[in-house]
Amino acid sequence: MRAVALHADVLVATSAIWQTNCAVVRGVGAVEDGETELGGEVTGARAGAGALRGGEVFVIDSPILPDELEALPALVEQAGFPAPSGLLATHGDWDHLLGRLAFPGIALGCAESTAARMQASPGEVQRDLRAFDEEHFVERERPLSLGAVQALPVPGSCGIGTRELALYPTPGHTGDGLAILIEWASVLLSGDYLSPVELPLLGAGGTVEAYVEALERLRALVERVEHVVPGHGRVLGRARALEILEEDLAWVRDVGASSATRLRRSSRSAPPRRSAPPR
Ligand SMILES: [Zn+2]
């Protein structure tokens, strides 16, 4: 698992499987006396961010392998972040939903559309995870329990410490999902769009029309940030993310117009690779 800090409040851990990204985000608490707030970052005598009142940490999406999930709490601690108090998922595909294996006691939040998808096909996530594990001889200590899933209205926002995460709907790849704008850190979590390693795909409930709409909506968000964290693949700068966005728009329109089935795959098979080398 690779880990990078994009900002004092944003870490990204990347799984060895499909370069699946997990973001750890801290929203600082109220600023203590004697500290000043500058440029969106709390500076001054902060003896570890945990000392800030009410600082809050969310873990968004997840790595995949058992040892990666096991290492996640230590990674959060080493960063000086308080223990996470919430999990979020960009969409309902199993490979983004394993956070509860690392943090079993914490509630999972997701878009209303994702909660509805999970309700409509109970056990789907666990079945897909089991199929992956069986195929790759992966053993886990405990089964995945998603707990009580909290459905978040999207578009909307979600408080984290004294900050807010902005949530935007992104159905298209699947019939559900959201993108998360971390405005103060200039980071966009795009979910399974804008990947430098994976071609656009239609999964459960995804359509060409909605995919195109999601990309159009994402363009305006990408233009506002320095970094884009896709569901799979390296973190992108704004310029590269916009290039991929235009490539994907053209690809989806082109292929989708002739045969949408070419964009579909079973959620259990390996995703198709982009032929262009990631820059
Ligand atoms: Zn994915």
Side-chain angles (χ1 to χ4, degrees), residues 15-276:
S15 174
I17 303 293
W18 305 328
Q19 299 188 39
T20 308
N21 285 321
C22 167
V24 183
V25 181
R26 172 182 60 185
V28 296
V31 177
E32 301 279 2
D33 286 351
E35 290 181 330
T36 52
E37 193 151 8
L38 273 176
E41 270 180 56
V42 176
T43 58
R46 53 167 197 185
L52 293 172
R53 274 199 305 264
E56 201 172 1
V57 169
F58 290 167
V59 174
I60 302 166
D61 288 352
S62 62
I64 291 178
L65 295 174
D67 58 340
E68 295 172 338
L69 289 157
E70 205 179 307
L72 211 48
L75 186 80
V76 174
E77 203 182 321
Q78 278 159 22
F81 286 9
S85 59
L87 302 171
L88 290 173
T90 54
H91 60 297
D93 283 350
W94 73 270
D95 53 328
H96 301 262
L97 286 172
L98 307 185
R100 293 257 308 179
L101 290 171
F103 303 101
I106 301 178
L108 170 69
C110 61
E112 280 170 342
S113 56
T114 300
R117 172 182 166 188
M118 291 197 271
Q119 223 164 31
S121 50
E124 179 199 323
V125 173
Q126 284 85 354
R127 278 195 299 278
D128 287 349
L129 171 62
R130 211 155 42 229
F132 173 86
D133 286 350
E134 277 167 16
E135 190 180 342
H136 299 280
F137 307 148
V138 175
E139 289 178 0
R140 300 188 193 262
E141 278 176 20
R142 52 175 173 270
L144 173 65
S145 153
L146 295 175
V149 171
Q150 201 185 332
L152 305 168
V154 181
S157 62
C158 171
I160 173 169
T162 57
R163 309 279 197 186
E164 282 199 336
L165 302 174
L167 314 176
Y168 296 87
T170 54
H173 159 61
T174 53
D176 66 299
L178 52 74
I180 299 174
L181 178 66
I182 312 168
E183 188 133 45
W184 79 89
S186 200
V187 172
L188 175 70
L189 310 178
S190 59
D192 275 2
Y193 297 92
L194 308 181
S195 172
V197 291
E198 179 186 78
L199 281 170
L201 288 172
L202 299 181
T207 67
V208 169
E209 297 70 28
Y211 200 110
V212 167
E213 264 176 52
L215 286 177
E216 297 284 6
R217 197 170 306 127
L218 283 167
R219 185 193 281 123
L221 299 175
V222 172
E223 279 165 356
R224 287 164 63 180
V225 298
E226 217 174 299
H227 294 113
V228 174
V229 181
H232 304 272
R234 281 187 185 278
V235 174
L236 305 165
R238 184 198 305 126
R240 180 63 185 137
L242 287 170
E243 269 175 26
I244 290 178
L245 193 148
E246 299 308 333
E247 283 170 26
D248 285 0
L249 256 184
W251 166 260
V252 169
R253 281 190 173 128
D254 192 43
V255 177
S258 59
S259 158
T261 53
R262 278 183 61 201
L263 296 173
R264 295 200 180 275
R265 66 151 174 142
S266 132
S267 59
R268 290 170 193 177
S269 60
R273 271 193 160 272
R274 289 186 97 87
S275 49

